Amino acid sequence: MINSLFLISHSGDIFLEKHWKSVISRSVCDYFLEAKEKAGDPENVAPVLQTPHHYLISIYRGKLFFLSVTQTEVPPLFVIEFLHRVADTFQDYFGDCSEVLIKENTVTVYELLEEMLDNGFPLATESNVLKEMIRPPTILRSVVNTLTGGSNVGGTLPTGQLSNVPWRRAGVKYTNNEAYFDVIEEIDAILDKSGTTVFAEIQGVIEACVKLTGMPDLTLSFMNPRLLDDVSFHPCVRFKRWESEHVLSFIPPDGNFRLMSYHVSSQNLVAIPVYVKQNISFLETGSCGRLDITIGPKQTMGKTVESLMVTIPMPKSVLSVNLTATQGTYTFDLTTKVVLWDVGKLNPQKLPNLRGSISIQTGAPKPEENPSINIDMKLQQLAISGLKVSRLDMYGEKYKPFKGVKYVTKAGKFQVRT
Amino acid sequence: MTDSKYFTTTKKGEIFELKAELNSDKKEKKKEAVKKVIASMTVGKDVSALFPDVVNCMQTDNLELKKLVYLYLMNYAKSQPDMAIMAVNTFVKDCEDPNPLIRALAVRTMGCIRVDKITEYLCEPLRKCLKDEDPYVRKTAAVCVAKLHDINAQLVEDQGFLDTLKDLISDSNPMVVANAVAALSEIAESHPNSNLLDLNPQTINKLLTALNECTEWGQIFILDCLANYTPRDDRESQSICERVTPRLSHANSAVVLSAVKVLMKFMEMLPKDLDYYGTLLKKLAPPLVTLLSAEPELQYVALRNINLIVQRRPEILKHEMKVFFVKYNDPIYVKLEKLDIMIRLASQANIAQVLAELKEYATEVDVDFVRKAVRAIGRCAIKVEQSAERCVSTLLDLIQTKVNYVVQEAIVVIKDIFRKYPNKYESVIATLCENLDSLDEPEARAAMIWIVGEYAERIDNADELLESFLEGFHDESTQVQLQLLTAIVKLFLKKPTETQELVQQVLSLATQDSDNPDLRDRGYIYWRLLSTDPVAAKEVVLAEKPLISEETDLIEPTLLEELICHIGTLASVYHKPPSAFVEGSRGVQHKRLPGSAGSGESVESPDTGSAAGVSDAPPAVIPSQGDLLGDLLNLDLTPPATTGPPPPATSGMQLGAMDLLGGGLDSLLGGDLGGSSAMGAGFGAPPAAPAASFSAPVSGGLDDLFDLGGGVGMPMGAYSPPKTVWLPAMKGKGLEISGTFARRAGVIQMEMTLTNKAMSVMTDFAIQFNRNSFGLAPAGPLQVLTPLSPNQSIEVTLPLNTVGPVMKMDPLNNLQVAVKNNIDVFYFSCQYPISMLFVEDGKMERQVFLATWKDISNDNEAQFQIKDCHLSSDAVSNKLQGSNIFTIAKRTVDGQDMLYQSTKLSNGIWVLAELRVQTGNPTFTVCLKCRAPEVSQCVFQSYDAVLKN
């Protein structure tokens, strides 16, 4: 099981350690730092490392490494999942998962880690349960605490842990009862030079924000549940009901949670909202090249493409670019060599275009690789897979809740090869 | 207000100040002080000096303060054991607190204080907590047992906590069950054979019930525990699978992968024709694909596991190629793994897509990735024959880019393609030669040199090319030097007239100017070979090479089986069995997949049959007789096709070594040296003199050995040794062969039991022998008509004759055998009892016996003793006759029986014997006379074996 956790900044500074069993010297991190040095880019550090006496399993989140040390055979996915959960919890508690915030809240962090793991076994990882035991710091509460001498630590037993619904705390009360569901879909796609789809899939999630009094039992049904053949559910969802009736039946946790995630992979179902006409070329002689990109709408299902953003990582030998954008603004980062073009809303009448020249270091050879173009965008009120919620029913409580469903489609890893 | 203020107290006298604050009367001040102490501790500052002061704050009603003090205690109790005792009382009191949260907290914290003295006080409260009415306390106590075990294992056993823990598996609360399982699993890891988790259908049922209701982490522990269970039959297996399948839709990827492990393992037991089996296969694909949309770290572990799953059951993901396509911003470790799986999934159906992708990758930025992509193109060519041509043209396109590392990598893989498809793509050699100068990596240089040597006859300026390499011979790496030596020898054998000087030069460079023993040995062997028998040299150096196959980079089936049982663990990430790396792996048990229940139904559905290992044509072909020798010797030397230096040179060396002996033998036997001795004339003897050893083993009368004689006779109870294992399953990719030899009704038979211990069906068996001392050869093909299903055994009898090619072996009765099946070719050697070569007409006339006895010189007489034999001389005589050792005369002198016996070997060699048996003395003396005294030792062994059985 998990022995120890080290938090390491991306510059390699170990700023927090927590041991759940015997103390392991922080010198064990040297193996990791060595691997990090070798990998260059922090994202490229292999997540599972072996040292003579320990195994180091790490994740990289928010420019921080969460490095766990184990001594025995453990399922690495278990450790990685847990580390992500730790990062999620920090984010949930402090608004972000950064070195500064963690240092500001060390005692809370320490208390949280103590509650989340016992002797290496996960103890309480549900945010509902944790919040019952350790209250998240808020400005108001810290003021109140200083005045009254109250504390962040709850004195009650986390009752949810014992019931059949360990994810929900008991005795929830709201004056406004509301339940919101966001259907968020991300398109992962690779398009080749000519615009043909090499690969495309949709990663969808349903994020819920449920603030309902008591123990409500909800049933969410879809117009077209057959779309969903590859799903993963929050533990609260009754799998049997899904298998037999294709409805989501559950007692929700209190607050924000991810109800389900799904995956639509059959390619004909994946609509590609934009097309990209591009030409990036480097001249064989002389140290320059040309760039010309136009973006137009393709299958947008009648919605407007918003927050359109184009990222082009240029070859390292590129010195500067001189471009003109017909819409939006562009920037070129001299150190990372990334062209970032913030287009904004896509107007089908007047297609945005970015063109101009690229200059390369004199004497450098013609770059061998072709940059890929990364597209970011958003389409409101649309789940591109066509998924639609038909109704939400509540049982077990008398009151009438306020219900809402929102759809949004975004680009995930949407890449165009050149 | 944030906690960062606690970090500002780095000034002098900090400890002193804190001490004062801790002892303050004000509650609030105290708490703030403890917080400061904790903050300092968190960042690794030593605040242990404050121990007594902090412990004093423990007795408080404020839960937060209590928790903070507990935190502190856990950290520093170890360094202050005496002080820590002060805290014991509070703990014991807290364990009785009416609030279960406090009880649990107390027992939890106590377990974390790793001080021996404290553990003794812990036992009583722990025992109470394990039986607490509140499940939250029980579950915490379960984990505490594991903690205590870590500190003092003996204590835990003595106090009977392990039994209590086992009882908790039947607890009514799923969370308690999960924690009990987790604790037991952890304890079991340090007692691999303790059988702590004694799984039976009842406990399994309890676990499956708890599985539905416990937390995600508990599910992981339970699933991992379930995976260790072996169901009694396929029905139980199916019912477990059905109850585990819903876990595939869990949001936690570790739960998903653990469920996949259970299913992959229990699936083995399901009959393949069951509808449910097909359903299950279909259900496995989507969750595995979903794992790939998670965070990169999770993807990496998932990919390593998918790599195993794809090798075991390629049908699961065969339509999911696209999800493994690489995105440019994937971390490099994900990219490399995806590439590996793409090659495994490549088939004729999707090869066009794969190649287009690979070509795209070959223009990426990351050098490691580009190299691997180029290599992958070569592997595709070797795997999917139909695509070879496209792969080669893709590689040529890449060579045109002139990007240095791309060119070098391409040349290395083209060499492999040449070996897989000889005489097909040699037209590209010219293009390759153009790039000779740009090669600076040893592997690429060695590959290019190999190509030049191998195709010397088609390259007009091969001599110039090789000569150019020779200039810097001593600066080259060993790999290149060895390759250069072999290539030039090849060139010489192909174009002897123009290259004498060159070969002379390389031989002297290798033998005289190099300190590398491998290089020197190989040089000497070539030299010796070329100077004694150039024809043999040609046969050896230019021998036809066994084909390479895609197989080489697959994980060996028994290891794969074990790794499948370890899906989701570190072992599956490293692709090594846990015993290979888990610290102190005291007798870690090797896990095995359960066998299929329907073993009676030996015919599997065709798709699983072909899917099990190779998807294409059977790989390595058994080469013709001559090459088999090379193969037999090459056994351990052939490196994987896509990595390592090219093998032919190595095999050339080994071949040389062996044939050198064979050649020497021939010449000593008076066979003509044959061939153009003019070619060899240019050579003197090599400076060192290993020659003596070549002629040593061959003495006078060996030619007798090689007369061939068949035997016809009556059925008799000849001695046959018990079966022994010749080819263990570990070496035979799951095929185990045990066997023996017998002579029945005058026919020599090889009786074998073939057992399939792999998980796939084996078919297409064939057998060949290497040349051997008595020309033993199969008289017919190996009769294995039905495919051999997993866990099935088959008895095969192979009749042998003695008309095969002859080569003296050491020991004389050694036999090297190659057995082929649809998976691979396996080699083993065994020794046959020479008695099975004793023919039925081996009874000599008395007169002839006498004359022959006198005729054979006394130098050829050998005397042996047979100990501990309690037979009378008549019994001896009868027994030996059963094995065709005939008693011709018996004489009794001074109470000692002298038996005169004759035996004839299948090749016509007569062996005469005088056996002295003294009544009451269990030690017999046997005196053997033969024109070929080499056989005496073997004949004696047969005497010994026959008489003692």
Side-chain angles (χ1 to χ4, degrees), chain A residues 1 15-18 20-23 26 43-50 52-53 55 57-61 70-78 80-82 84-85 103-108 110-111 114-115 117-119 121-123 125-126 133-134 142 145-146 149-158 161-164 166 188 190 198-199 201 203 229-235 239 243 263 267 311 313 368-370 372 374 413 415 417-418, chain B residues 1-4 6-7 28 31 35 38-39 41-44 62-64 67-68 71 74-75 99-101 105 108 112 114 134-136 139-140 143 146-147 150 173 175 182-183 186 189 213 216-217 220-221 224 246 248-254 257 283 286-287 289-291 293 295 297-302 320 322-323 325-333 357 360-361 363-365 403 405 568-571 573-574 576 578 581-583:
Chain A
M1 298 299 129
F15 66 92
L16 192 135
E17 58 185 289
K18 166 79 185 141
W20 285 277
K21 293 185 167 188
S22 49
V23 176
R26 60 164 69 188
E43 267 138 31
N44 284 340
V45 187
V48 184
L49 294 172
Q50 191 182 354
H53 303 288
Y55 308 101
I57 301 176
S58 62
I59 62 163
Y60 184 63
R61 279 271 298 260
T70 79
Q71 270 176 312
T72 48
E73 169 74 89
V74 290
L77 272 190
F78 150 77
I80 295 173
E81 276 278 358
F82 177 79
H84 277 294
R85 211 59 64 86
K103 275 187 172 167
E104 273 180 13
N105 296 290
T106 336
V107 176
T108 316
Y110 223 63
E111 284 171 349
E114 190 57 40
E115 285 305 331
L117 215 56
D118 178 21
N119 193 40
F121 300 111
L123 197 62
T125 52
E126 282 289 333
M133 294 190 284
I134 301 155
S142 29
N145 283 353
T146 18
S151 82
N152 280 334
V153 175
T156 52
L157 180 70
Q161 292 235 313
L162 299 178
S163 68
N164 282 333
D188 282 358
I190 303 175
V198 177
F199 159 80
E201 60 178 17
Q203 312 284 353
D229 59 345
D230 180 6
V231 288
S232 356
F233 296 122
H234 189 274
F239 192 74
E243 284 228 300
H263 185 234
Q267 210 135 98
T311 317
E368 288 141 15
E369 77 272 8
N370 296 322
S372 282
N374 221 26
K413 288 180 177 169
Q415 306 183 350
R417 290 175 179 165
T418 62
Chain B
M1 190 182 84
T2 68
D3 296 340
S4 57
Y6 304 122
F7 289 100
E28 193 48 34
K31 199 173 82 186
K35 275 196 172 183
I38 301 284
M41 181 181 90
T42 321
V43 291
N62 185 315
L63 195 60
E64 186 185 17
K67 275 190 177 176
L68 291 173
L71 277 179
M74 283 185 238
N75 225 5
N99 184 344
L101 181 62
L105 187 63
R108 194 172 119 205
C112 293
R114 307 176 60 85
D134 194 306
Y136 184 71
K139 134 189 154 154
T140 314
V143 176
K147 293 180 194 168
D150 195 30
N173 185 295
M175 247 78 82
E186 195 184 56
E189 212 173 306
E213 292 167 22
E216 49 197 314
W217 314 110
I220 301 170
F221 299 131
D224 284 347
L248 292 177
S249 300
H250 201 286
N252 185 319
S253 56
L257 200 57
K283 280 193 176 162
V289 171
T290 304
L291 290 180
S293 52
E295 285 82 359
E297 297 91 2
L298 296 169
Q299 279 188 48
Y300 171 74
V301 177
E320 304 291 346
K322 286 191 173 174
V323 299
F325 285 180
V326 172
K327 302 191 178 86
Y328 82 89
N329 44 5
D330 281 336
I332 180 73
Y333 55 82
E357 280 295 303
E360 191 72 41
Y361 304 160
T363 61
E364 279 236 18
V365 199
V403 180
Y405 53 85
T569 66
L570 286 165
V573 174
Y574 293 125
K576 286 180 201 158
F581 63 91
V582 169
E583 178 119 310

Side-chain angles (χ1 to χ4, degrees), chain A residues 230-403:
Chain A
D230 180 6
V231 288
S232 356
F233 296 122
H234 189 274
C236 68
V237 176
R238 299 184 179 99
F239 192 74
K240 282 257 161 61
R241 284 285 299 277
W242 171 256
E243 284 228 300
S244 56
E245 298 164 55
H246 276 268
V247 295
L248 297 181
S249 157
F250 56 98
I251 295 173
D254 184 42
N256 295 314
F257 66 102
R258 175 171 294 182
L259 179 62
M260 74 178 287
S261 55
Y262 58 93
H263 185 234
V264 179
S265 54
S266 65
Q267 210 135 98
N268 42 7
L269 286 175
V270 183
I272 304 292
V274 295
Y275 70 84
V276 179
K277 257 194 0 212
Q278 44 78 22
N279 182 25
I280 301 176
S281 57
F282 299 99
L283 296 182
E284 206 59 65
T285 51
S287 46
C288 63
R290 307 251 344 132
L291 179 147
D292 189 341
I293 299 176
T294 312
I295 299 180
K298 207 173 172 186
Q299 298 158 282
T300 59
M301 316 278 174
K303 307 283 180 201
T304 318
V305 178
E306 295 170 41
S307 318
L308 187 62
M309 180 100 86
V310 178
T311 317
I312 314 158
M314 285 290 175
K316 293 283 168 254
S317 54
V318 169
L319 266 187
S320 66
V321 293
N322 185 13
L323 308 170
T324 347
T326 60
Q327 184 188 338
T329 51
Y330 85 90
T331 54
F332 177 69
D333 188 318
L334 284 170
T335 46
T336 57
K337 314 277 184 193
V338 172
V339 174
L340 190 72
W341 178 27
D342 189 347
V343 187
K345 214 173 254 179
L346 180 64
N347 180 358
Q349 266 71 53
K350 197 170 158 285
L351 300 182
N353 169 277
L354 179 73
R355 80 172 77 187
S357 61
I358 307 167
S359 48
I360 303 171
Q361 254 161 16
T362 31
K366 180 184 170 235
E368 288 141 15
E369 77 272 8
N370 296 322
S372 282
I373 301 175
N374 221 26
I375 309 274
D376 258 321
M377 63 189 147
K378 205 188 260 180
L379 290 104
Q380 300 283 7
Q381 261 98 59
L382 172 74
I384 198 100
S385 70
L387 186 75
K388 271 215 157 65
V389 172
S390 70
R391 56 184 298 148
L392 177 75
D393 299 305
M394 187 180 78
Y395 307 93
E397 295 289 338
K398 294 273 185 309
Y399 56 87
K400 240 184 137 50
F402 185 80
K403 300 177 278 194

Side-chain angles (χ1 to χ4, degrees), chain B residues 203-240:
Chain B
T203 46
I204 289 295
N205 205 22
K206 294 242 170 62
L207 291 182
L208 284 168
T209 313
L211 181 63
N212 285 327
E213 292 167 22
C214 66
T215 66
E216 49 197 314
W217 314 110
Q219 292 182 15
I220 301 170
F221 299 131
I222 292 181
L223 287 168
D224 284 347
C225 175
L226 277 177
N228 290 329
Y229 177 64
T230 312
R232 287 160 305 170
D233 51 27
D234 51 331
R235 230 183 291 143
E236 188 182 8
S237 186
Q238 180 176 346
S239 93
I240 295 176

Side-chain angles (χ1 to χ4, degrees), chain B residues 89-165:
Chain B
N89 255 334
T90 323
F91 279 126
V92 175
K93 220 169 85 197
D94 284 352
C95 282
E96 315 248 318
D97 196 278
N99 184 344
L101 181 62
I102 302 222
R103 292 204 296 276
L105 187 63
V107 78
R108 194 172 119 205
T109 313
M110 263 181 112
C112 293
I113 297 180
R114 307 176 60 85
V115 176
D116 275 340
K117 281 184 198 160
I118 292 212
T119 53
E120 290 163 28
Y121 295 99
L122 180 59
C123 291
E124 271 325 297
L126 177 59
R127 200 186 313 282
K128 258 184 222 155
C129 289
L130 278 168
K131 305 236 157 96
D132 198 283
E133 52 170 20
D134 194 306
Y136 184 71
V137 180
R138 290 204 297 278
K139 134 189 154 154
T140 314
V143 176
C144 190
V145 176
K147 293 180 194 168
L148 195 56
H149 186 272
D150 195 30
I151 306 167
N152 190 343
Q154 196 56 46
L155 185 74
V156 170
E157 280 169 45
D158 295 346
Q159 295 278 331
F161 285 139
L162 291 182
D163 293 322
T164 323
L165 206 50

Side-chain angles (χ1 to χ4, degrees), chain A residues 124-139:
Chain A
T125 52
E126 282 289 333
S127 116
N128 263 248
V129 176
L130 281 170
K131 283 186 178 160
E132 230 179 317
M133 294 190 284
I134 301 155
R135 288 188 214 111
T138 60
I139 294 171

